[in-house]
């Protein structure tokens, strides 16, 4: 095979022109370590080589110059990883813990895992004639286990028994294939054989091997005899995660990024990918890394290192089914996982709010070893997504409103409804096992500081109680429904109709046959006006104090808006026009000083294009030549389709510019004229509410008329152990911003990120305050606004954490022209 190579921009990398992929083999040429990504895997079955040969073919074709080597045991593989002999290790849970211990805090980064690696299940089974009805009755019995280095059939379940105070008379470990950490599962099969032969009364093994025994997939086990002789004890050991890809943090970033990029492009619906994914045991997809599932493995591993309280049994395993070894069966649909370094802490964190911010706080802080408890006042998690106005939804496409590490299953480009988003939020919480850290139907009445911590006073079912925490996080969101903003207008008692906030406009029947006036000009007001018309209102009028710029979903009806505003190119355009976010690279400030006249002209063209798209070139409702499109976006950000435009153009909805002055008997007075109304809907937003915090804390926060200014939009410098996540920062893709905030906070509170002095933090806050006040509209939320500058804000958080901020490299074109989306931040939230 002849392959011609041309140098690429990454030193030592080569692009193979044949088939558009990479090649890691060259005839007669010794490979250089810097040229490729070398992965280690443990060879516990002949099928392993075949699987990774197929994966190698795919990864190279997908742009990752990949090769692999096989090891006979995990200890050797971990040693090779730590010595830098391999770039990547496909580690089991014990090997992962071992790598973390030797690499030290922050030394290991995890890249991904299989879906079957999440929440691995072990079982405790017993002979029916042993009269073991519960786990407590295992005391005094002979227990058979798999190999003594098996996490699923020895370490975790025995650690669980020890924690429960259960004392077996004897533990017989069937030590077969030591060093492979139970991957071959032959020790588990031998344990089952011993149970069937009466050599033990109780057995510890994985649910996977138990089910295969019952299904007749284990050649030496009679399925009928197994079912008649043994039964599962109701209690079971804790869940844990299995195999994962580990890499040293010092390893070149391009290697792990090219590997991850190729890996997560695999789609089991693609016939070219399906075969190897099925061989590797994947049911649906590769999964992002998580750390929550390794805590019990860490503890079990630590407890078994100094001593062993069991005997080992040498046993010759019976021949298996021709063509399929036990190990091969395990690899086909088994579950073996992934994660990074972890700081273990016994500190407790109380969180106010169970929406998209609070859930990511739980995940991130638990990954750092904190004990987290969130309080949600509603019956379900989800916050504003649990219920809102009629047919509410996300105003950005689904790819901009995804949790990092958890892609939505909706089609690309779809704008999720509120109901779809709520289901997605619930799926996220269930997938990452976050619900056990949330107490619903619980209102936080107050949060008061105490020595080295906080006291939460909560109310549930009418009963108040106090609970102490070491840290407090306010994650009530930007749009908390606890304090709706309703204008106080004179003569409301005269009005014979109904006036309500948009949040309470939840039933279309409320508008049917009625004259409806909607007050406001934000996304919620526009949506409510459209939905009132769709509900067959007799007449609909929207009243706005002034016109605002909407952003079309597709600029020029061709380019999705995020390609312009959320790419680095778009970030440079906005920066050139309105200045650099404090903390952004200095050259961006120089660019603004030189480029603002050019950008002012360019954005005037953008304004004319937007006005043309919304058929709003002139008149009182047109913002053209009345306000700057970028500045106005920071006062009334909204991304709209053409529904409202078309209704106004067709005369089906009236739109008036004016100030509501007072109520009348039959409507609302606007600029001295009465607008007849039976129903008035106020799409006027929410007020921030800090009343849950004690008065002395509020005074230290320094809340101003335009909001609460914080360090990194997260920390108040003069109130230790308090953080705000999601409630004081507004971006376009806020769900990913909250995830990065949570990750950053986890590293700060676990001492992996060193904060500057209080004085320096306050100086940076002052710089941010002056910059925002120099050009952003004066609104009550100005302190929280990041919006079109979000990429630079994310960069700042990543740099603080020591994480590569150029997430699309080494693809320079993608780095410059492609929008940044939540998926670009996979692997960070729970790192």
């Amino acid at each position: 095979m002849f392959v011609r190579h041309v140098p690429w921009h990454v030193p030592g990398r080569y692009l193979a022109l044949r088939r558009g992929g990479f090649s890691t083999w060259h005839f007669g040429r010794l490979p250089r370590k810097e040229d490729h990504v070398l992965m280690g895997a443990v060879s516990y079955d002949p099928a392993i080589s075949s699987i990774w040969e197929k994966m190698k073919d795919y990864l190279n074709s997908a742009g990752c110059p990949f090769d692999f080597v096989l090891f006979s045991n995990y200890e050797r593989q971990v040693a090779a990883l730590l010595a830098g002999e391999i770039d990547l290790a496909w580690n089991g849970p014990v090997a992962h813990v071992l790598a973390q211990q030797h690499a030290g805090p922050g030394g290991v980064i995890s890249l991904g895992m299989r879906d079957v690696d999440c929440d691995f299940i072990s079982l405790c089974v017993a002979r029916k004639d042993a009269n073991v009805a519960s786990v407590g009755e295992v005391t005094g019995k002979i227990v058979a286990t798999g190999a003594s280095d098996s996490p699923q059939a020895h370490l975790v379940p025995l650690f669980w028994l020890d924690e429960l105070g259960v004392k077996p008379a004897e533990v017989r470990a069937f030590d077969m294939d030591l060093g492979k950490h139970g991957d071959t599962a032959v020790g588990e099969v031998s344990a089952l054989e011993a149970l069937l032969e009466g050599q033990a009364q109780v057995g510890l093994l994985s649910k996977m091997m138990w089910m295969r025994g019952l299904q007749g997939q284990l050649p030496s086990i009679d399925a009928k005899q197994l079912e008649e002789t043994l039964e599962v004890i109701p209690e079971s050991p804790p869940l844990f995660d299995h195999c994962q890809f580990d890499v040293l943090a010092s390893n070149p970033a391009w290697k792990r990024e090219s590997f991850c990029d190729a890996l997560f492009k695999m789609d089991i619906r693609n016939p070219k990918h399906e075969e190897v994914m099925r061989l590797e045991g994947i049911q649906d997809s590769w999964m992002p890394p998580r750390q929550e599932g390794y805590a019990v493995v860490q503890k079990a591993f630590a407890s078994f290192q100094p001593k062993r309280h069991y005997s080992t049994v040498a046993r010759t395993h019976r021949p298996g089914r021709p063509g399929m070894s036990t190990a091969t069966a395990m690899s086909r649909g088994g579950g073996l996982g992934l994660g990074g370094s972890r700081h273990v802490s016994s500190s407790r964190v109380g969180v106010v709010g169970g929406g998209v911010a609070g859930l990511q706080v739980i995940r991130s802080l638990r990954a750092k070893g904190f004990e987290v408890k969130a309080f949600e006042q509603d019956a379900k998690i989800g916050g504003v997504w649990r219920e809102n106005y009629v047919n509410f939804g996300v105003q950005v496409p689904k790819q901009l409103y995804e949790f990092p590490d958890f892609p939505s299953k909706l089609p690309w480009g779809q704008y999720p409804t509120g109901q779809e988003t709520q289901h997605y939020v619930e799926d996220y919480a269930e997938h990452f096992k976050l619900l056990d850290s949330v107490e619903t139907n619980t209102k936080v009445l107050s949060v008061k500081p105490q020595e080295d911590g906080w006291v939460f006073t909560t109310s549930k079912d009418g009963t108040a109680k106090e609970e102490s925490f070491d840290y407090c996080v306010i994650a009530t969101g930007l749009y908390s429904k606890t304090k709706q903003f309703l204008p106080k207008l004179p003569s409301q008692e005269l009005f014979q109709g109904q006036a309500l906030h948009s949040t309470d406009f939840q039933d279309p029947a409320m508008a049917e046959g009625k004259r409806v006036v909607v007050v406001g000009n934000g996304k919620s007001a526009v949506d409510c006006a459209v939905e009132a018309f769709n509900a067959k209102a007799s007449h609909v009028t929207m009243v706005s104090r002034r016109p605002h710029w909407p952003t079309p979903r597709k600029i020029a009806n061709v380019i999705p808006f995020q390609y312009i505003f959320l790419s680095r190119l778009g970030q440079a355009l906005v920066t050139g026009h309105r200045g650099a976010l404090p903390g952004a690279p200095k050259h961006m400030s120089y660019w603004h000083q030189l480029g603002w006249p050019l950008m002012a002209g360019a954005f005037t063209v953008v304004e004319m294009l937007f006005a043309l798209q919304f058929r709003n070139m002139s008149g009182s409702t047109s913002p053209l030549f009345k306000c700057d499109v970028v500045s106005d976006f920071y006062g009334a950000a909204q991304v709209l389709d053409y529904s409202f435009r078309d209704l106004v153009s067709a005369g089906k909805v009236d739109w008036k510019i004016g100030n509501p002055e007072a109520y009348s008997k039959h409507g609302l007075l606007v600029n001295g004229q009465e607008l007849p109304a039976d129903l008035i809907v106020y799409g006027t937003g929410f007020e921030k509410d800090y009343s849950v915090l004690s008065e002395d804390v509020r005074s230290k926060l320094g809340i101003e008329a335009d909001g609460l200014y914080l360090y990194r939009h997260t920390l108040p410098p003069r109130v230790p152990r308090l953080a705000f996540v999601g409630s004081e920062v507004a971006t376009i893709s806020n769900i990913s911003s909250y995830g990065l905030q949570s990750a950053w906070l986890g590293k700060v509170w676990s001492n992996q990120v060193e904060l500057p002095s209080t004085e320096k933090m306050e100086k940076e806050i002052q710089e941010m305050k002056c910059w925002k006040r120099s050009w952003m509209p004066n609104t009550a939320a100005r302190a929280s606004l990041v919006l079109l500058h979000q990429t630079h804000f994310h960069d700042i958080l990543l740099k603080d954490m020591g994480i590569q901020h150029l997430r699309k490299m080494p693809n320079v074109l993608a780095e410059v022209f492609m929008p940044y989306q939540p998926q670009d931040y996979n692997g960070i939230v729970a790192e």
Side-chain angles (χ1 to χ4, degrees):
M1 179 180 69
F2 174 72
V3 183
R4 180 186 172 198
H5 299 282
V6 293
W8 212 20
H9 71 282
V10 176
R13 292 185 70 180
Y14 293 90
L15 181 65
L17 300 183
R18 184 169 184 196
R19 297 183 183 174
F22 287 92
S23 173
T24 55
W25 175 86
H26 312 277
F27 179 67
R29 175 178 163 189
L30 298 180
R32 298 188 305 168
K33 188 173 186 297
E34 61 267 27
D35 287 347
H36 57 265
V37 179
L38 183 62
M39 189 201 78
V42 170
S43 179
Y44 61 85
D45 186 87
I48 300 302
S49 178
S50 175
I51 291 170
W52 283 104
E53 283 290 351
K54 293 178 185 294
M55 280 294 294
K56 174 182 174 181
D57 290 343
Y58 163 74
L59 290 166
N60 279 279
S61 70
C64 175
F66 176 84
D67 207 346
F68 69 95
V69 293
L70 298 179
F71 293 90
S72 65
N73 63 81
Y74 277 109
E75 282 74 12
R76 173 63 65 184
Q77 178 170 292
V78 171
L81 176 69
L82 297 171
E85 296 167 3
I86 56 175
D87 300 299
L88 189 66
W90 186 213
N91 276 338
V94 174
H96 167 63
V97 170
L98 192 62
Q100 284 186 321
Q101 283 189 355
H102 285 271
V108 172
I109 296 174
S110 299
L111 305 181
M113 63 199 301
R114 303 176 303 178
D115 47 13
V116 292
D117 292 329
C118 302
D119 301 325
F120 205 84
I121 301 173
S122 297
L123 298 176
C124 185
V125 302
R127 289 182 59 89
K128 292 181 179 179
D129 58 13
N131 298 318
V132 179
S134 67
V135 69
E137 295 173 352
V138 174
T139 293
K141 300 296 190 294
I142 298 175
V143 176
T145 77
S148 55
D149 59 358
S150 168
Q152 64 269 8
H154 190 90
L155 296 173
V156 169
L158 278 182
F159 173 74
W160 168 66
L161 291 180
D162 189 61
E163 288 285 285
L164 294 176
V166 175
K167 305 295 183 184
E170 181 185 348
V171 175
R172 295 181 179 177
F174 289 85
D175 276 343
M176 296 176 176
D177 295 332
L178 287 175
K180 294 178 173 61
H181 295 185
D183 281 359
T184 65
V186 293
E188 295 183 52
V189 176
S190 294
L192 280 175
E193 293 170 354
L195 281 168
L196 294 176
E197 294 169 4
Q199 298 178 23
Q201 291 90 44
V202 177
L204 302 174
L205 68 156
S206 65
K207 181 180 179 181
M208 179 190 354
M209 298 308 295
W210 171 253
M211 295 306 298
R212 286 179 182 164
L214 292 177
Q215 294 162 7
Q217 297 179 16
L218 304 178
S220 65
I221 301 293
D222 182 277
K224 184 177 180 181
Q225 183 190 9
L226 189 69
E227 186 175 6
E228 292 175 348
T229 307
L230 306 182
E231 60 185 350
V232 177
I233 296 175
E235 303 97 327
S236 60
L239 305 180
F240 63 96
D241 288 351
H242 228 283
C243 299
Q244 62 182 320
F245 296 107
D246 282 335
V247 61
L248 292 184
S250 57
N251 197 262
W254 75 261
K255 292 193 176 188
R256 58 178 181 264
E257 289 169 3
S258 66
F259 178 80
C260 287
D261 183 63
L263 188 75
F264 288 108
K265 284 179 180 176
M266 296 187 81
D267 186 344
I268 206 161
R269 295 167 295 183
N270 185 332
K272 295 181 179 179
H273 303 168
E274 182 181 11
E275 178 191 8
V276 66
M277 293 178 77
R278 295 289 187 197
L279 284 173
E280 186 54 23
I282 292 172
Q283 294 179 353
D284 185 48
S285 63
W286 291 101
M287 298 297 293
R290 68 178 190 179
Q291 288 304 304
E292 301 93 322
Y294 294 93
V296 68
V297 181
Q298 286 180 321
K299 294 176 182 177
F301 180 66
S303 71
F304 278 87
Q305 274 187 295
K307 52 190 176 182
R308 288 162 53 138
H309 298 289
Y310 53 87
S311 61
T312 60
V313 181
R315 186 182 183 97
T316 303
H317 186 60
R318 298 174 187 174
R321 181 182 303 167
M324 169 136 2
S325 69
T326 303
T328 303
M330 188 170 185
S331 71
R332 298 183 181 179
L336 301 172
L338 156 70
S341 63
R342 175 170 182 156
H343 170 84
V344 179
S345 168
S346 58
S347 298
R348 302 187 73 225
V349 181
V351 181
V352 184
V356 294
L359 292 173
Q360 293 186 92
V361 169
I362 295 170
R363 181 173 173 230
S364 181
L365 295 186
R366 286 202 325 196
K368 295 298 180 186
F370 292 92
E371 180 186 343
V372 187
K373 185 174 184 179
F375 299 95
E376 170 56 51
Q377 65 180 354
D378 290 326
K380 281 185 174 183
I381 59 169
V384 296
W385 299 115
R386 193 178 68 84
E387 61 177 12
N388 214 309
Y389 57 82
V390 176
N391 205 23
F392 73 105
V394 180
Q395 64 175 319
V396 295
K398 79 104 181 180
Q399 63 268 23
L400 295 184
Y401 205 85
E402 292 180 333
F403 290 102
D405 305 325
F406 193 70
S408 167
K409 295 181 180 179
L410 293 176
W412 189 93
Q414 184 168 325
Y415 285 71
T417 66
Q419 188 176 33
E420 288 171 336
T421 305
Q422 175 66 17
H423 289 323
Y424 172 62
V425 172
E426 291 174 2
D427 288 345
Y428 174 82
E430 183 176 352
H431 176 79
F432 289 107
K433 309 300 179 186
L434 306 178
L435 293 176
D436 60 350
S437 291
V438 183
E439 186 173 311
T440 55
N441 285 318
T442 304
K443 182 176 178 60
V444 178
L445 302 177
S446 68
V447 179
K448 296 180 180 179
Q450 63 177 3
E451 186 178 355
D452 295 330
W454 299 86
V455 175
F456 280 54
T457 302
T458 61
S459 175
K460 183 172 185 176
D461 299 328
T463 302
K465 72 173 184 178
E466 290 187 349
E467 196 165 352
S468 294
F469 295 92
D470 300 287
Y471 297 87
C472 171
V473 179
I474 305 297
T476 49
L478 289 166
Y479 311 112
S480 174
K481 296 176 290 184
T482 57
K483 202 168 184 181
Q484 302 169 345
F485 176 70
L486 289 167
K488 296 180 180 178
L489 302 177
S491 306
Q492 184 170 357
E493 70 279 1
L494 298 177
F495 181 50
Q496 295 185 346
Q498 182 181 12
L500 48 79
H501 192 271
S502 60
T503 304
D504 299 318
F505 179 43
Q506 297 183 9
D507 185 355
M510 299 172 72
E512 185 175 358
K514 295 180 180 178
R515 299 166 297 178
V516 179
V517 171
V518 180
V519 179
N521 191 19
K523 176 70 163 53
S524 62
V526 170
D527 286 349
C528 287
V530 171
E531 292 306 320
F533 173 82
N534 292 338
K536 296 182 173 53
S538 62
H539 190 268
V540 180
T541 304
M542 191 173 83
V543 179
S544 310
R545 286 186 298 170
R546 62 180 68 89
H548 292 291
W549 281 109
T551 299
R553 290 181 171 183
K554 290 187 176 181
I555 297 173
N557 294 322
V558 175
I559 307 172
F561 79 94
Q562 65 266 28
Y563 281 77
I564 300 300
F565 290 117
L566 295 186
S567 64
R568 290 203 179 272
L569 173 63
Q571 190 83 126
L573 297 176
V574 171
T575 297
H577 184 44
R578 283 302 176 192
L581 182 79
K586 288 189 177 297
H587 68 267
M588 299 306 294
S589 296
Y590 299 145
W591 155 236
H592 169 62
Q593 294 169 15
L594 296 173
W596 71 264
L598 177 64
M599 288 297 98
F603 276 97
T604 299
V605 174
V606 170
E607 291 169 2
M608 296 180 70
L609 176 61
F610 284 9
L612 184 65
Q613 284 187 246
F614 283 98
R615 301 174 189 167
N616 199 10
M617 297 289 290
S618 61
S620 62
T621 62
S622 175
L624 188 60
F625 305 124
K626 297 174 185 174
C627 56
D628 169 65
V629 65
V630 174
S631 298
D632 186 67
F633 193 86
Y634 279 77
Q638 52 185 314
V639 179
L640 301 179
D641 63 10
Y642 294 142
S643 301
F644 181 73
R645 178 202 73 176
D646 293 343
L647 290 175
V648 172
S649 297
K652 297 177 179 179
V653 170
D654 287 338
W655 184 9
K656 297 186 181 298
I657 301 298
N659 287 304
E661 297 165 338
Y663 290 94
S664 66
K665 184 176 182 179
H666 298 294
L668 191 67
L669 294 178
V670 177
N671 293 347
Q673 295 185 338
E674 183 183 62
L675 294 181
D678 304 303
L679 175 65
I680 300 173
V681 180
Y682 287 98
T684 46
F686 305 86
E687 293 181 279
K688 296 308 291 284
D689 184 9
Y690 302 99
S691 61
V692 69
L693 297 168
S694 60
E695 185 176 348
D696 60 325
V697 171
R698 294 199 301 271
S699 66
K700 292 177 182 178
L701 291 177
I703 304 165
E704 302 191 42
D706 57 349
L708 174 58
Y709 287 90
L710 300 168
Y711 181 71
R712 301 294 192 253
H713 289 82
T714 307
L715 295 181
R718 296 202 175 272
V719 186
R721 296 174 177 253
L722 173 65
F724 295 79
V725 174
S727 54
E728 304 299 334
V729 62
T731 62
I732 305 298
S733 181
N734 59 39
I735 196 167
S736 53
S737 301
Y738 302 164
L740 294 181
Q741 269 190 298
S742 301
W744 181 86
L745 180 64
K747 292 208 169 191
V748 168
W749 281 353
S750 60
N751 299 316
Q752 292 176 283
V753 169
E754 184 177 355
L755 292 175
S757 65
T758 298
E759 291 72 22
K760 187 171 182 180
M761 285 193 284
E762 290 183 332
K763 180 181 178 182
E764 292 192 25
I765 290 172
Q766 187 62 33
E767 290 176 4
M768 184 72 74
K769 187 185 303 183
C770 292
W771 177 71
K772 290 185 175 185
R773 290 176 175 176
S774 70
W775 66 277
M776 290 185 191
N778 185 8
T779 66
R782 179 165 56 188
S784 68
L785 301 180
V786 173
L787 296 176
L788 300 177
H789 289 80
Q790 78 169 39
T791 305
H792 282 164
F793 173 63
H794 292 171
D795 288 350
I796 291 168
L797 295 179
L798 292 175
K799 289 176 183 178
D800 283 353
M801 290 187 280
I803 296 173
Q804 170 62 263
H805 66 286
L806 301 175
R807 307 295 297 169
K808 298 179 184 293
M809 292 297 283
N811 190 331
V812 177
L813 294 178
E815 188 65 57
V816 175
F817 296 107
M818 295 297 289
Y820 261 77
Q821 301 174 156
Q823 68 177 15
D824 291 305
Y825 303 105
N826 284 349
I828 293 175
V829 173
E831 184 181 85

